[in-house]
Amino acid sequence: NAGVTQTPKFQVLKTGQSMTLQCAQDMNHEYMSWYRQDPGMGLRLIHYSVGAGITDQGEVPNGYNVSRSTTEDFPLRLLSAAPSQTSVYFCASSRGQYSNQPQHFGDGTRLSIL
Amino acid sequence: AQTVTQSQPEMSVQEAETVTLSCTYDTSESDYYLFWYKQPPSRQMILVIRQEAYKQQNATENRFSVNFQKAAKSFSLKISDSQLGDAAMYFCAYRSATGSNYKLTFGKGTLLTVNP
């Protein structure tokens, strides 16, 4: 039972490079989301999706794109990496509406932008 | 917008003792869920306990229990018989039970140290 799988676990980029953080879940969850974790800030929502083909912005969406072509996958794209995007990124999923089930988190991706 | 406040950036407890972590939140909604997540040095986010706002009874999971005071908008976590493995960052989180945005709003966390 894999749960939520994030790849890669670590990545170093140069300013201006682009990359995609991968997230996949095998629990048939409707809801998926991306958070970033910065010291002293807790976790903040970047983007979320309530189902395939539907995405929306969270608190800190600038500089990131997402898409949801399948229920299982929810990749996060950094278009032009900036040092301010150095962070730990978490993908999470949960069942949909009217569910009290908690979100399941991946193990995180530590991203450093030089 | 909802906010979650954890007023204790750091706490420490002696092994086998009891510790309480504080959390307050601000919302105009009546139906919501509250969670405590644990993040050990491994970086995983592990659900500790959850509480539905419509339930008056406080949730309990083994050594972990909450004191949920809906009118005061308070949701504290009590850890009994603390163990070395309880050392971690603890996050309080809020989630609305209505609408289509099921985002979690997190507090900034409390770092718990357990002393042997």
Side-chain angles (χ1 to χ4, degrees):
Chain A
N1 188 3
V4 179
T5 302
Q6 288 184 238
T7 56
K9 294 190 184 304
F10 302 94
Q11 184 70 47
V12 178
L13 291 178
K14 294 181 179 179
T15 297
Q17 286 185 315
S18 62
M19 89 160 288
T20 299
L21 306 186
Q22 301 291 345
C23 176
Q25 53 90 10
D26 62 356
M27 298 171 282
N28 201 31
H29 284 168
E30 297 92 337
Y31 182 82
M32 296 186 73
S33 54
W34 278 101
Y35 294 85
R36 60 178 288 173
Q37 183 179 21
D38 302 297
M41 297 293 293
L43 279 75
R44 293 180 292 168
L45 183 68
I46 304 171
H47 285 285
Y48 67 96
S49 169
V50 298
I54 305 169
T55 64
D56 206 345
Q57 297 180 351
E59 301 172 61
V60 288
N62 292 340
Y64 307 95
N65 273 359
V66 292
S67 60
R68 184 96 179 268
S69 57
T70 67
T71 299
E72 295 78 19
D73 300 300
F74 190 45
L76 177 72
R77 297 182 185 85
L78 280 70
L79 307 174
S80 178
S84 61
Q85 294 177 304
T86 293
S87 189
V88 179
Y89 292 85
F90 286 95
C91 179
S93 74
S94 68
R95 298 179 70 177
Q97 197 171 6
Y98 307 126
S99 171
N100 68 349
Q101 295 303 304
Q103 293 192 23
H104 298 257
F105 285 83
D107 290 341
T109 295
R110 181 174 293 279
L111 183 63
S112 295
I113 315 297
L114 304 179
Chain B
Q2 294 82 23
T3 58
V4 177
T5 302
Q6 293 179 248
S7 59
Q8 307 152 316
E10 297 184 22
M11 292 281 286
S12 64
V13 63
Q14 291 297 124
E15 198 174 2
E17 298 294 309
T18 295
V19 65
T20 298
L21 308 184
S22 300
C23 173
T24 59
Y25 58 95
D26 186 25
T27 183
S28 58
E29 299 176 327
S30 60
D31 199 10
Y32 49 87
Y33 306 111
L34 296 165
F35 305 89
W36 278 98
Y37 280 89
K38 169 185 177 182
Q39 187 180 42
S42 66
R43 200 172 71 197
Q44 289 180 299
M45 292 290 288
I46 302 166
L47 178 69
V48 174
I49 199 165
R50 66 179 176 224
Q51 175 81 41
E52 290 89 342
Y54 64 86
K55 290 186 177 179
Q56 293 186 341
Q57 186 173 6
N58 289 325
T60 299
E61 290 286 344
N62 300 314
R63 297 182 296 106
F64 298 87
S65 61
V66 299
N67 183 5
F68 173 50
Q69 301 290 328
K70 190 172 184 180
K73 296 180 183 175
S74 172
F75 182 61
S76 60
L77 175 68
K78 186 171 81 171
I79 306 174
S80 303
D81 186 26
S82 296
Q83 301 176 358
L84 295 178
D86 295 334
M89 182 73 84
Y90 286 82
F91 291 98
C92 178
Y94 171 103
R95 195 185 93 193
S96 172
T98 59
S100 61
N101 180 357
Y102 294 97
K103 76 169 189 174
L104 285 168
T105 300
F106 286 88
K108 294 183 178 181
T110 296
L111 181 63
L112 179 66
T113 301
V114 180
N115 301 310

